[in-house]
Amino acid sequence: MATDNRINFWRRNPKVPGSVQPVYGAQHPPLDPRLRRTYPKDTKPKFNNLKSKKACSFHEFACSTNDAWDIDDEEDENFCGTPFPASFAPSVEETTASVHNQKLRHQKGDTESALPHSLTPPRNERHGLQKDNPSECERVNGKFVKSSSDADLNTSSVRSPLQKQQSLPVRPIIPLVARISDQNASGAPPMTVREKSRLDKFKQLLASPNTDLEELRKHSWSGIPREVRPITWRLVSGYLPANKERRELVLKRKREEYFGFIEQYYHSRTDEHYKDTYRQIHIDIPRTNPLIPLFQQPAVQEVFERILFIWAIRHPASGYVQGINDLVTPFFVVFLSEFVTEDVENFDVAALPLETQRNIEADSFWCMSKLLDGIQDNYTFAQPGIQNKVKALEELVSRIDADIHNHFKKYEVEYLQFAFRWMNNLLMRELPLRCTIRLWDTYQAEAEGFSHFHLYVCAAFLMEWRKEILCMADFQSLLMLLQNLPTIHWGNEEVGLLLAEAYRLKYMFADAPSHYKR
């Protein structure tokens, strides 16, 4: 009952003072209920007054809730297997049920219950006796004795409110922000028939002597299966040719060409002309996805430094601009996943063969270069591409939803104040990395996906938070919301709905200039 009260309290009061709002890019360490939920021996937690009394501070709110947000499976097992500390006194229901069971066993002539309490073996020892001597446990003095597992089943339904509070929630399918793997990776339900059929279709297209790139893009629009994503991204980005026989030759040549650039230019990073560029790259690299251990490894950071420095000196019109460092990460993760079966976010890249590391680095460089070729005006002087896209977003929103547009005008919120980052980083700071990878499946399948279609995705993304935006009644609250949108639990389903809405907006406005402009 206490748990139900807390759940209802949470649903009816989503914004209590001091509540923890999920913010992408900020770390929220899970609070362990075992550490912060301790009560004196003779007291019990009281939650009956939650409906009438609202939390007035973070301390009161933390004391009235018992969330276990992302506790590992190992901790689940240890927690459930260890006895309660002395501070957790047994409840009245538990004691009553225990006495009742002892009386029943005594009436049936249960020899175990006749033993003194101090001589009765603990439950885990009784399990061990069952395994070692099953016949002795099943039959004692010619009478059948209930096994402890049966007793567990009988008493499991009688649980005190305190035990219910200590039971941990089911681990969610969609992981938190530090998780890279999508819902089709480990820990998710088995592959459905539809997913298997899609995977077979991709494999069939990729196995043909000349891959039909238009058909491949058509199937990629709805998401690419994890198993074939690396080769598909290389093809749809234009890095690899459609002809299967030529791919190995092209890969070898492009990889050698990249490391030729390294030998030719990388030593100049300390030169007077380039040291400022290298210094800025060196500062930005550790800030790239700081919550994901993979990107804090020295070997990975060195790879990113080389990729970004070589790109910058080969594109002097723009050079390196803050934000470009984020654009490497999806390619690096996807190409790394080709060689990693476990969780990518914790994988030690230095454990891979040196040749494999070099191949991942070169492929990430060339695919990022292909992407930036289409949006380089976003990063040239004064960043005119971003300025134009933000203005286009403002005009589009004014047509789609006048209420939001007028709400921004009323509280003097400029689109540039929040949408600049959306365009500069392609929503990578707004979405978990797993969602960005799914989003880029569609961007690479869509004509001008990173430049043109991204505008409609941003508009659909803004409309997603319509209700929350209209509830904010001051400039500061609006800007805080728009810069910290709660997408931490988003997965493939949410991204799919976002893309569908973006496609609808594109269909309505892209070929209708009179609708788009005043």
Side-chain angles (χ1 to χ4, degrees):
M1 184 63 187
T3 305
D4 295 339
N5 287 340
R6 290 202 324 282
I7 292 173
N8 293 332
F9 168 74
W10 179 264
R11 287 175 178 169
R12 285 197 297 271
N13 298 273
K15 295 182 180 179
V16 295
S19 62
V20 180
Q21 299 295 328
V23 177
Y24 175 64
Q27 188 173 13
H28 296 299
L31 305 179
D32 193 334
R34 291 168 289 174
L35 300 178
R36 65 187 183 92
R37 297 286 295 183
T38 56
Y39 300 103
K41 187 171 183 179
D42 297 324
T43 61
K44 288 177 64 176
K46 296 180 181 180
F47 297 102
N48 295 333
N49 60 346
L50 285 177
K51 292 183 180 179
S52 58
K53 183 180 179 181
K54 293 185 178 179
C56 298
S57 67
F58 177 77
H59 176 71
E60 291 184 17
F61 173 69
C63 291
S64 64
T65 56
N66 186 29
D67 296 331
W69 286 340
D70 193 27
I71 297 178
D72 293 336
D73 294 334
E74 294 81 2
E75 294 177 353
D76 294 354
E77 294 170 2
N78 295 336
F79 179 55
C80 295
T82 53
F84 288 110
S87 60
F88 293 110
S91 65
V92 177
E93 294 92 326
E94 262 190 307
T95 308
T96 305
S98 177
V99 172
H100 180 66
N101 288 335
Q102 287 183 8
K103 287 181 179 178
L104 288 177
R105 288 199 298 269
H106 182 70
Q107 292 172 1
K108 294 180 181 179
D110 190 340
T111 58
E112 185 183 358
S113 63
L115 291 172
H117 179 70
S118 60
L119 298 178
T120 304
R123 178 171 295 178
N124 58 349
E125 292 182 16
R126 282 183 279 178
H127 277 291
L129 286 174
Q130 279 187 321
K131 293 176 182 177
D132 297 337
N133 301 302
S135 60
E136 292 181 11
C137 293
E138 293 173 0
R139 198 177 189 87
V140 179
N141 294 335
K143 295 182 180 180
F144 287 100
V145 179
K146 255 185 193 176
S147 66
S148 58
S149 59
D150 290 339
D152 291 342
L153 290 174
N154 289 337
T155 58
S156 62
S157 59
V158 184
R159 302 180 64 194
S160 67
L162 191 57
Q163 280 180 305
K164 290 179 181 178
Q165 292 161 19
Q166 294 302 321
S167 61
L168 299 176
V170 178
R171 191 181 184 89
I173 293 175
I174 301 177
L176 294 179
V177 65
R179 280 287 177 142
I180 296 174
S181 304
D182 58 25
Q183 289 172 290
N184 295 328
S186 59
M191 186 179 293
T192 63
V193 175
R194 181 177 178 274
E195 289 171 343
K196 188 177 185 305
S197 175
R198 292 190 73 246
L199 178 59
D200 292 340
K201 183 62 178 177
F202 271 92
K203 289 181 177 179
Q204 181 183 348
L205 284 169
L206 295 170
S208 62
N210 287 284
T211 302
D212 187 343
L213 293 181
E214 285 303 315
E215 191 70 13
L216 187 62
R217 288 191 176 95
K218 178 182 175 182
H219 285 81
S220 299
W221 206 99
S222 300
I224 304 170
R226 186 175 185 268
E227 295 83 352
V228 294
R229 183 176 277 139
I231 181 63
T232 304
W233 274 28
R234 291 185 183 103
L235 286 166
V236 296
S237 66
Y239 174 42
L240 283 186
N243 186 275
K244 190 175 181 180
E245 293 181 356
R246 293 180 54 221
R247 290 175 195 167
E248 284 300 322
L249 185 63
V250 170
L251 275 177
K252 183 180 178 181
R253 177 173 57 83
K254 298 295 282 186
R255 288 166 178 172
E256 289 176 353
E257 184 179 356
Y258 168 72
F259 283 102
F261 295 151
I262 296 292
E263 293 177 7
Q264 184 176 357
Y265 299 115
Y266 194 59
H267 64 85
S268 64
R269 64 189 182 280
T270 55
D271 292 354
E272 186 69 24
H273 187 63
Y274 295 121
K275 67 177 184 180
D276 288 341
T277 297
Y278 179 74
R279 177 180 172 275
Q280 188 60 57
I281 292 171
H282 190 74
I283 291 172
D284 289 347
I285 294 292
R287 302 172 181 171
T288 306
N289 294 296
L291 299 184
I292 300 177
L294 172 69
F295 300 112
Q296 303 311 309
Q297 298 176 25
V300 174
Q301 293 186 355
E302 289 171 9
V303 166
F304 278 39
E305 284 182 1
R306 288 193 292 268
I307 290 174
L308 294 171
F309 182 76
I310 295 301
W311 188 89
I313 63 175
R314 293 189 72 245
H315 297 81
S318 62
Y320 173 76
V321 177
Q322 284 182 303
I324 296 179
N325 56 305
D326 287 330
L327 305 184
V328 187
T329 56
F331 293 113
F332 184 82
V333 167
V334 167
F335 297 143
L336 176 62
S337 68
E338 195 171 11
F339 306 96
V340 179
T341 55
E342 56 195 86
D343 291 336
V344 177
E345 59 268 24
N346 292 310
F347 183 76
D348 183 9
V349 174
L352 287 173
L354 182 59
E355 186 66 22
T356 301
Q357 296 181 44
R358 289 167 59 90
N359 292 343
I360 293 171
E361 178 178 346
D363 293 352
S364 300
F365 169 81
W366 287 115
C367 287
M368 186 198 74
S369 298
K370 289 285 186 181
L371 184 161
L372 289 170
D373 286 348
I375 57 172
Q376 192 170 353
D377 61 340
N378 284 6
Y379 305 105
T380 53
F381 179 73
Q383 298 181 273
I386 291 179
Q387 301 278 354
N388 293 334
K389 288 182 178 69
V390 171
K391 184 63 178 176
L393 177 65
E394 181 177 358
E395 293 177 357
L396 184 58
V397 172
S398 69
R399 297 290 182 174
I400 296 170
D401 195 322
D403 290 341
I404 287 183
H405 184 70
N406 293 331
H407 194 69
F408 285 158
K409 290 181 68 176
K410 178 180 179 181
Y411 294 105
E412 300 180 349
V413 174
E414 299 290 337
Y415 284 79
L416 200 64
Q417 292 168 334
F418 63 89
F420 180 88
R421 190 171 73 180
W422 296 10
M423 303 300 178
N424 189 61
N425 300 84
L426 299 177
L427 288 176
M428 287 194 64
R429 298 288 177 91
E430 276 56 54
L431 298 172
L433 184 52
R434 61 183 177 272
C435 295
T436 298
I437 291 172
R438 167 62 190 91
L439 190 68
W440 285 21
D441 287 346
T442 300
Y443 279 5
Q444 294 186 92
E446 181 78 22
E448 298 182 325
F450 291 98
S451 56
H452 186 62
F453 186 63
H454 180 68
L455 168 68
Y456 299 96
V457 172
C458 289
F461 188 64
L462 187 64
M463 297 302 105
E464 178 72 22
W465 313 102
R466 184 181 193 276
K467 182 179 178 181
E468 291 82 355
I469 289 170
L470 295 178
C471 286
M472 299 296 174
D474 62 88
F475 173 85
Q476 183 178 356
S477 299
L478 277 167
L479 213 57
M480 286 293 290
L481 171 68
L482 292 167
Q483 292 180 348
N484 299 279
L485 292 166
T487 60
I488 189 172
H489 287 289
W490 274 34
N492 289 350
E493 183 178 352
E494 289 80 2
V495 175
L497 293 173
L498 178 69
L499 290 166
E501 177 63 16
Y503 184 81
R504 185 185 71 85
L505 294 176
K506 179 191 173 189
Y507 183 81
M508 291 174 60
F509 291 95
D511 298 321
S514 59
H515 290 182
Y516 185 73
K517 296 181 180 179
R518 294 185 183 280

